[in-house]
Amino acid sequence: MGDTMSDRQILRVGVVGAGQISGAYLRTFPRLENLRVTAIADMDPARAAAAAQEVPGARARTPDELYAAEDVDLVLNLTVPAAHAEVAHAAISAGKHIYGEKPLAATTAEARALLEAADSAGVRVGCAPDTVLGTGIQTARTVLDSGEIGTPVAATAFMLSPGHEGWHPAPEFYYQPGGGPLLDMGPYYLTALVTLLGPVRRVVGMSATPRATRIIGSGPRAGTEFPVEVSTHVTGVLEHEGGALSTLIMSFDVWTGPLPRTQIEVYGTGGSLSVPDPNGFDGEVRLFRAEGKEWEPVPERGGYPGGSRGFGVADLARALAGGGPHRADGRLAYHVLDVMESLLAAAGSGGSVTVTSNCERPAAVPAGARPEEQ
C-alpha cells in the first residue's frame, strides 16, 4: 500500500446513532486510512450536530437523509438493540453496506431476514464485536492452532458484574428485550469462543431474574426505578463442533468474587491457555504446558496491533477493495445470536437445544497486520 489511498479505496461511512458508544468509533476512524465519516444522524438532531462538529468533513443529517446520501457507502448502526434490524433494513434498501453494533438483531428471525435482504441487494453485513481481531484473541488462536495445548477439551468464560445501572445514566435498554448480560456482553465471549474453538452445535442452560426492578445510580436521573424484562443471570454449557465443552456464566447479579470476572480459559490434553478479556483488543495471553511447572506469557503472534472499536469496519472496507471476505461477518454474528437464543430456550425448557446455524471461522489476522492492507 502506498502513502495515500485512492478515493476508490476509501469507504464513506454514515453513522446512525450518536450515543455513548459512537465516541469510541469516532476516535478510532481518523487512524484508519480506508474510512471516512461523511454523515452522522440521530433521533436527537442536537446530538447528531454536536457529534458532527467533532468530525472534520462530516455533516449532521436526519436518518432518512443519511440513507439516501450519495456520499455514504456504508451505514454504521450504533442504535439500541431493539432498533438494529429497522436501521439495517433501511440502509440495505438504499443500497448501502451495513455494519452494526452487537447483537445483529433482537431475534434470529429478524437477523435472518436482514441477511436475506442484504444478499438480495448485493451488499455486505458486518457486526461487532471486532475485539476478536486484536492481538489478545488472535495470539491465543495461534497457540490453539499450533497444538501447543493438545486437543481442546473444555473452556470457561465468565462475565460477572452487578449490572450497568451503577454507571450508565440511561441503562433501561440493557434490561429490555435484546439486552441482558447474555445479549449485551455474551457476543464478546461467544465470538471469541467460536473464533478459538469453532461453531457451537448444542447447548444446555439455566437462567434467573432475581430482581424485578433496578435503580439508576448516576446522572441526572439517579434514583429512578425501572423494570427488568430479561434474565439477568444466565449459565450454560456449549458443545462445539470439535467436541470441546465451554461453560459460560453471564451475570448482572454478582457483586464480587474470586473467579476471573472477565476472562476465558481453554483446557487441552497437553496444557491450558489463559485468554484476556474479550471486551478488549489486547491483553496478556498465558500458556501452561503439561510438562511445565508454571504459567508462561505468550508474546504477540497475531492480530491488529493498537486495535479499537471500528477496526472491523476497516477490515470490511479492505475486503470490499480486494474482493475477499471480511472477518467481523454478519453470518458469524448470526450464529452467535442463534447460540444465545438457543441457550435462553434451553434455560426455559430445562433441556438441551440443537443450534441449527453454522458459520466459518474467520481467517486469522497475521501478526502486525493493518486492517487497511490487502
Side-chain angles (χ1 to χ4, degrees):
M1 186 176 70
D3 293 334
T4 61
M5 304 192 76
S6 69
D7 289 342
R8 183 187 64 81
Q9 295 173 298
I10 295 174
L11 194 69
R12 298 167 299 179
V13 178
V15 179
V16 177
Q20 192 154 333
I21 192 61
S22 66
Y25 283 88
L26 296 177
R27 287 190 295 271
T28 299
F29 285 165
R31 297 196 282 126
L32 299 169
E33 297 178 12
N34 61 350
L35 300 176
R36 181 184 303 142
V37 177
T38 56
I40 300 177
D42 193 275
M43 294 299 292
D44 181 350
R47 191 160 65 171
Q53 286 181 349
E54 301 297 319
V55 182
R59 295 177 56 190
R61 298 179 183 266
T62 67
D64 287 342
E65 288 172 342
L66 186 147
Y67 302 137
E70 293 185 0
D71 63 349
V72 170
D73 304 309
L74 175 142
V75 172
L76 175 59
N77 183 0
L78 304 182
T79 59
V80 297
H84 284 182
E86 179 183 354
V87 171
H89 277 290
I92 292 167
S93 295
K96 314 296 187 185
H97 304 290
I98 181 76
Y99 185 101
E101 256 301 320
K102 46 73 189 170
L104 183 60
T107 67
T108 53
E110 288 184 354
R112 190 162 50 248
L114 188 163
L115 293 175
E116 291 171 354
D119 285 344
S120 296
V123 299
R124 296 205 185 206
V125 176
C127 187
D130 52 3
T131 48
V132 294
L133 307 182
T135 55
I137 302 301
Q138 291 294 319
T139 294
R141 175 173 173 165
T142 67
V143 174
L144 292 173
D145 289 353
S146 64
E148 289 175 75
I149 67 165
T151 301
V153 174
T156 55
F158 303 136
M159 195 296 298
L160 309 176
S161 85
H164 295 336
E165 67 274 14
W167 59 270
H168 199 291
E172 287 94 334
F173 71 93
Y174 288 115
Y175 298 89
Q176 296 168 351
L182 183 62
L183 269 75
D184 175 46
M185 297 300 294
Y188 296 108
Y189 292 80
L190 289 167
T191 304
L193 288 171
V194 171
T195 297
L196 296 172
L197 299 172
V200 175
R201 64 187 177 196
R202 188 163 60 106
V203 301
V204 296
M206 298 188 76
S207 65
T209 308
R211 287 180 278 169
T213 62
R214 299 274 176 138
I215 297 175
I216 299 175
S218 65
R221 299 170 58 235
T224 302
E225 189 174 28
F226 62 91
V228 175
E229 303 176 39
V230 295
S231 297
T232 52
H233 186 95
V234 181
T235 183
V237 178
L238 322 173
E239 181 186 29
H240 295 266
E241 282 192 346
L245 302 177
S246 291
T247 300
L248 186 77
I249 303 177
M250 300 282 113
S251 183
F252 285 168
D253 290 296
V254 177
W255 290 102
T256 188
L259 284 175
R261 293 170 61 80
T262 56
Q263 190 173 314
I264 294 172
E265 291 181 351
V266 183
Y267 315 110
T269 54
S272 297
L273 184 66
S274 175
V275 184
D277 183 356
N279 193 16
F281 285 80
D282 52 17
E284 184 181 55
V285 177
R286 294 185 301 140
L287 170 64
F288 185 91
R289 303 176 191 273
E291 68 276 11
K293 295 184 178 180
E294 59 185 26
W295 290 90
E296 57 187 82
V298 180
E300 290 183 4
R301 298 183 186 175
Y304 294 134
S308 56
R309 291 328 192 253
F311 269 51
V313 185
D315 183 83
L316 189 155
R318 170 203 57 79
L320 276 171
H326 57 285
R327 293 180 173 92
D329 177 51
R331 280 168 176 76
L332 170 60
Y334 177 83
H335 178 66
V336 166
L337 179 60
D338 193 14
V339 171
M340 294 189 294
E341 200 170 87
S342 298
L343 187 55
L344 292 174
S349 68
S352 68
V353 171
T354 298
V355 179
T356 57
S357 67
N358 207 321
C359 69
E360 297 290 333
R361 268 178 104 201
V365 179
R370 292 281 303 168
E372 305 99 324
E373 295 173 347
Q374 301 306 312

